């Protein structure tokens, strides 16, 4: 298999993404993996090769404003959910991906769910890992404080916020070599912190989760909700309530896994995802 780091221009925006090509390509739709806050596509580094090994092309982008993608000024990119949905649609179109299996995680992964609801014909299967999927979901204080005027301006300029948030979401220590990658955008430019601040201020969580709850009541494609049971911010009860409203939806408990499952325990994520993606649709 081949895993590469790519950069593509879509309009005025530059998207960085990690691309995994299988050794033996198949006609299976590609898998697109979307990260949450304040992460980046690097979080999927151990999931991408597992998907490619079983014949899936896998694409994991850095959201605009995150990682090594563009970090435009708020005057040039609104950092609202609607702006992200539109940008994601244009990104996938540029890559020639007209249908995919979508995997979303975390806060901002909710944008992927909005994309799915607005483009259901482009979704083969949908997997949700610890994301705000019900109106009861609340932004944790650890992240919410980053959007407070003045306070947030200072917090989001601290590269160590990545350490505290990723490790606080599951209680596991992230290796220093990996943290170096997560910190790099914040060390390179203050634009990374300003983008994060703008995202948190514009999450519109109540509006977004209301759209998700009502929209998925009429969803038909296969859905997997895999939940890290050590998530301190989004309780398992959200996953239970969500799956109960979708006929045929699968619910998987990832024991000893936190808010960032692909970072905390990728082997469990790989097993669960591959079982779901390889199962024949009836």
């Amino acid at each position: 298999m081949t895993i590469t780091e790519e950069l593509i221009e879509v309009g005025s925006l530059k998207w960085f993404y990690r691309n995994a090509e299988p050794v033996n390509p198949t006609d299976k739709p590609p898998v697109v993996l979307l990260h949450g806050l304040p992460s980046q596509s690097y979080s999927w580094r151990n999931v991408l090769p597992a998907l490619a090994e079983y014949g899936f092309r896998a694409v994991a982008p850095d959201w605009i404003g995150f990682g090594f993608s563009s970090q435009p000024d708020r005057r040039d990119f609104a950092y609202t959910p609607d702006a992200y949905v539109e940008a994601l649609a244009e990104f996938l179109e540029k890559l020639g991906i007209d249908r995919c299996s979508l995997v979303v995680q975390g806060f901002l992964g909710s944008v992927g769910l909005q994309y799915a609801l607005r483009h259901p014909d482009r979704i083969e299967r949908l997997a949700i890992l610890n994301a705000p999927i019900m109106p009861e979901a609340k932004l944790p204080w650890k992240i919410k404080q980053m959007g407070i005027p003045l306070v947030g301006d200072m917090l989001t300029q601290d590269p160590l916020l990545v350490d505290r948030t990723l490790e606080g979401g599951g209680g596991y220590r992230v290796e220093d070599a990996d943290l170096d990658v997560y910190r790099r955008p914040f060390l390179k430019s203050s634009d990374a912190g300003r983008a994060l601040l703008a995202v948190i201020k514009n999450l519109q969580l109540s509006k977004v989760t209301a759209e998700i709850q009502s929209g998925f009541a009429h969803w038909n494609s296969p859905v997997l909700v895999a939940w890290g049971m050590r998530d301190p911010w989004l309780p398992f009860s959200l996953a239970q309530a969500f799956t109960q409203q979708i006929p045929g939806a699968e619910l998987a408990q990832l024991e000893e896994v936190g808010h960032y499952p692909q970072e905390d325990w990728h082997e469990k994520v790989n097993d669960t995802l591959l079982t779901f993606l390889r199962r024949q649709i009836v």
Side-chain angles (χ1 to χ4, degrees), residues 111-129:
V111 171
L113 299 179
Q114 290 180 286
Y115 169 83
L117 287 173
R118 299 178 191 184
H119 304 282
D121 56 316
R122 302 180 189 176
I123 305 299
E124 178 84 1
R125 305 174 194 232
L126 179 65
I128 304 169
L129 310 179

Side-chain angles (χ1 to χ4, degrees), residues 9-205:
E9 290 193 22
V10 185
S12 62
L13 301 173
K14 290 183 179 179
W15 285 79
F16 174 91
Y17 65 99
R18 290 177 163 84
N19 186 67
E21 294 285 351
V23 175
N24 299 307
T26 67
D27 58 356
K28 301 171 184 174
V31 181
V32 176
L33 305 113
L34 302 177
H35 67 83
L37 295 175
S39 191
Q40 51 175 277
S41 62
Y42 185 71
S43 67
W44 300 108
R45 64 194 176 278
N46 295 311
V47 179
L48 290 164
L51 292 171
E53 183 179 349
Y54 282 90
F56 294 96
R57 180 193 178 192
V59 175
D62 287 348
W63 282 114
I64 296 301
F66 292 83
F68 304 98
S69 289
S70 292
Q71 297 161 356
D73 187 272
R74 282 171 289 181
R75 292 169 293 184
D76 301 315
F77 185 77
Y79 291 100
T80 61
D82 285 344
Y84 272 116
V85 170
E86 182 179 351
L88 178 61
E90 293 173 352
F91 168 71
L92 295 177
E93 183 178 355
K94 184 80 171 185
L95 289 185
I97 298 177
D98 55 8
R99 188 172 177 82
C100 68
S101 290
L102 188 63
V103 182
V104 307
Q105 181 271 320
F107 295 94
L108 201 58
S110 52
V111 171
L113 299 179
Q114 290 180 286
Y115 169 83
L117 287 173
R118 299 178 191 184
H119 304 282
D121 56 316
R122 302 180 189 176
I123 305 299
E124 178 84 1
R125 305 174 194 232
L126 179 65
I128 304 169
L129 310 179
N130 295 71
I133 47 180
M134 298 290 285
E136 292 79 11
K138 304 299 179 185
L139 195 65
W141 175 248
K142 186 177 285 288
I143 295 178
K144 186 176 182 179
Q145 63 183 330
M146 299 178 196
I148 299 174
L150 299 180
V151 174
D153 287 276
M154 292 185 291
L155 289 175
T156 53
Q157 292 301 321
D158 180 4
L160 296 181
L161 72 89
V162 181
D163 307 35
R164 292 191 291 267
T165 309
L166 292 180
E167 295 181 342
Y172 290 103
R173 179 179 178 273
V174 181
E175 295 298 324
D176 288 340
D178 298 323
L179 288 173
D180 285 344
V181 179
Y182 285 118
R183 295 179 191 133
R184 200 173 301 156
F186 294 90
L187 293 169
K188 182 179 178 181
S189 169
S190 60
D191 291 341
R194 284 196 288 267
L196 178 58
L197 175 65
V199 169
I200 295 171
K201 290 175 68 175
N202 289 286
L203 271 178
Q204 304 172 14
L205 201 56

Side-chain angles (χ1 to χ4, degrees), residues 243-265:
T243 53
Q244 286 172 1
Q245 70 179 16
I246 306 175
E250 299 179 42
L251 180 59
Q253 299 181 41
L254 303 178
E255 300 295 342
E256 301 301 318
V257 177
H259 180 72
Y260 302 94
Q262 71 273 31
E263 184 65 53
D264 292 344
W265 207 317

Side-chain angles (χ1 to χ4, degrees), residues 229-252:
M229 300 300 288
R230 280 180 53 169
D231 189 332
W233 304 327
L234 294 173
F236 181 58
S237 58
L238 298 180
Q240 291 175 305
F242 182 79
T243 53
Q244 286 172 1
Q245 70 179 16
I246 306 175
E250 299 179 42
L251 180 59

